[in-house]
Amino acid sequence: MMELFSEQYVQYIDQEHVSWQNMIQMAGQPLLDDGLIAQEYVDEIITTCTEKGPYMNIGPNIVLAHARPLPSTK
């Protein structure tokens, strides 16, 4: 069976009254910690949601946060 998501990068948040921006930041933190994304990518996800609305919701209480790839700075 193909694994779509590594469990270490899937975040479950069981809190009330957390802003969606903070949830996006929390969801990205394991990827940031492993150096797989930069903070600018998380910022772009938040900007995109602000501009385009909540189109990233894929089911009840499930969000697949993403943004277009950013230009490489390396």
Side-chain angles (χ1 to χ4, degrees):
M1 183 164 132
M2 185 173 114
E3 184 176 313
L4 295 176
F5 299 102
S6 175
E7 192 68 28
Q8 73 191 56
Y9 299 123
V10 176
Q11 300 294 296
Y12 302 94
I13 301 170
D14 187 18
Q15 297 178 18
E16 292 186 30
H17 311 294
V18 178
S19 74
W20 65 267
Q21 295 93 335
N22 285 340
M23 285 190 260
I24 297 293
Q25 185 66 48
M26 285 188 273
Q29 198 60 53
L31 297 166
L32 288 165
D33 292 345
D34 285 353
L36 298 172
I37 61 171
Q39 182 60 47
E40 292 81 11
Y41 185 72
V42 175
D43 296 341
E44 184 63 24
I45 294 169
I46 293 169
T47 298
T48 300
C49 284
T50 301
E51 293 173 355
K52 298 184 187 252
Y55 74 94
M56 296 181 193
N57 292 14
I58 61 171
N61 300 314
I62 300 171
V63 172
L64 184 58
H66 62 284
R68 290 182 182 261
L70 299 176
S72 177
T73 58
K74 292 182 181 181

